[in-house]
Amino acid sequence: MTKSKTDKPQGVKYLIGSVKTLYKKLDSKICYRIRMCNWKHWKAPQNRVKNLTKLGILSWSAWKSVYLKGYAKLGYCRDVYMAVSNDRLASFGLISMLNYKC
């Protein structure tokens, strides 16, 4: 039995699956870091509330989010995640690794 050129090695489909998982994890970490950098860029609590309300978060919820301690918690905060969602990041020009075509 001869192998044709179209036969793939056995482990290729598992390798492709693990790469997709890696891309998904990297995408989530990149989006998290972008949210965290935006939060640092907004500096003052008044600016943070103003920018969150511009992005569609209720005022009382924005004030609640402003006083969370640490930038790492804010990257996963529901209000910040909704304000700077993956769809909004895509509209700003961020290309997902899963959707990237060479």
Side-chain angles (χ1 to χ4, degrees):
M1 192 150 113
T2 60
K3 287 189 176 183
S4 67
K5 291 182 180 180
T6 58
D7 289 342
K8 292 182 181 177
Q10 288 292 331
V12 170
K13 64 180 177 181
Y14 299 113
L15 180 65
I16 291 171
S18 65
V19 169
K20 285 183 181 179
T21 304
L22 176 68
Y23 285 171
K24 187 181 271 190
K25 286 181 183 178
L26 285 174
D27 269 347
S28 67
K29 287 184 182 190
I30 289 170
C31 292
Y32 160 75
R33 292 294 294 185
I34 289 173
R35 286 185 196 100
M36 197 170 77
C37 290
N38 279 345
W39 196 256
K40 283 185 177 184
H41 183 70
W42 292 343
K43 294 189 181 184
Q46 297 86 2
N47 291 339
R48 292 175 178 169
V49 170
K50 180 178 70 173
N51 289 327
L52 284 175
T53 52
K54 279 183 187 176
L55 293 173
I57 303 299
L58 298 174
S59 179
W60 64 270
S61 185
W63 277 106
K64 181 184 72 168
S65 299
V66 165
Y67 290 106
L68 289 175
K69 300 293 182 193
Y71 296 111
K73 287 183 183 178
L74 287 163
Y76 295 114
C77 176
R78 181 183 63 89
D79 295 330
V80 176
Y81 187 82
M82 287 175 55
V84 188
S85 64
N86 293 340
D87 295 333
R88 187 157 299 182
L89 288 174
S91 71
F92 292 155
L94 180 69
I95 300 172
S96 173
M97 294 175 106
L98 296 172
N99 299 334
Y100 183 74
K101 304 290 184 207
C102 294

